[in-house]
Amino acid sequence: MRRAAAVLAAVASLLLLPAPSAGAADAGDGLDPRPPSAHAVIYREQAVIDAPPERIWQLITDLPGYSSWNPWVVRASGTVARGAAINVDVILGSHTMPARHTVLVVEKNSRFCWRDAGWNALVVYGQRCRTLQQQPDGSVLYTSELMLDGPLASVANLTIGSHMRTGMAAETAALKQSAGL
């Protein structure tokens, strides 16, 4: 059984990991966000939020606080640090699904990214980045981008894509409402 799991993991890594870009700096730790491949499906939600970036950052990095405002990621725990693990419960349609992530980027008040680290990462690579861009009027353009990648990304899009889009939209609207002053 262990041998089969190891073979599956090796095959999945060959199928899902893109070749390094020529000349690209690579820390070699697997913690840099990946650019999309030809197989990628990308979901994006944006909102202009009338709040300082510090307030929005506090909400998206206070993992235990997700349960008080987030209708999509209803539970989160872990450490907000590059390479750390984060565990969440996410609502997909009428089901709650546990998911494990690895933190890729923590740029205070600016960018927070993670990637899937659970069993599903063996068949579809998932990466989520949230960025905050302060606008001249003091508001913040909040962007949430979720990338599914690998040969089975289109299958994941067909099976759970609508739930992911609905969840991202609900989360973005709730963040805007919770952060607004």
Side-chain angles (χ1 to χ4, degrees):
M1 187 66 120
R2 286 184 193 169
R3 181 166 162 64
V7 169
L8 178 60
V11 170
S13 69
L14 291 173
L15 291 173
L16 301 176
L17 296 176
S21 303
D26 181 13
D29 59 7
L31 296 176
D32 292 326
R34 281 180 23 181
S37 76
H39 301 286
V41 176
I42 298 172
Y43 310 119
R44 183 176 295 115
E45 284 290 327
Q46 291 186 310
V48 174
I49 302 175
D50 189 18
E54 296 83 7
R55 170 72 178 136
I56 301 163
W57 182 259
Q58 185 273 326
L59 286 166
I60 65 173
T61 59
D62 174 16
L63 302 176
Y66 276 37
S67 62
S68 69
W69 67 269
N70 196 326
W72 186 38
V73 180
V74 296
R75 185 198 61 81
S77 64
T79 304
V80 178
R82 183 174 163 90
I86 292 180
N87 295 300
V88 304
D89 287 342
V90 63
I91 303 294
L92 293 175
S94 61
H95 302 286
T96 302
M97 183 180 99
R100 223 173 104 211
H101 303 289
T102 300
V103 177
L104 303 175
V105 176
V106 180
E107 295 171 2
K108 189 173 182 179
N109 301 326
S110 178
R111 191 167 181 224
F112 180 37
C113 301
W114 65 38
R115 66 170 166 78
D116 287 344
W119 66 266
N120 53 322
L122 293 175
V123 294
V124 176
Y125 176 87
Q127 174 178 289
R128 177 133 183 248
C129 289
R130 291 175 259 183
T131 58
L132 289 67
Q133 295 177 304
Q134 190 156 22
Q135 303 299 293
D137 67 359
S139 66
V140 170
L141 175 61
Y142 169 80
T143 303
S144 177
E145 187 172 278
L146 174 61
M147 176 180 73
L148 303 178
D149 207 351
L152 298 180
S154 60
V155 173
N157 182 46
L158 289 173
T159 57
I160 61 171
S162 65
H163 299 306
M164 294 176 83
R165 286 188 298 276
T166 298
M168 284 180 68
E171 180 186 81
T172 300
L175 178 64
K176 182 173 181 170
Q177 181 177 356
S178 296
L181 302 174

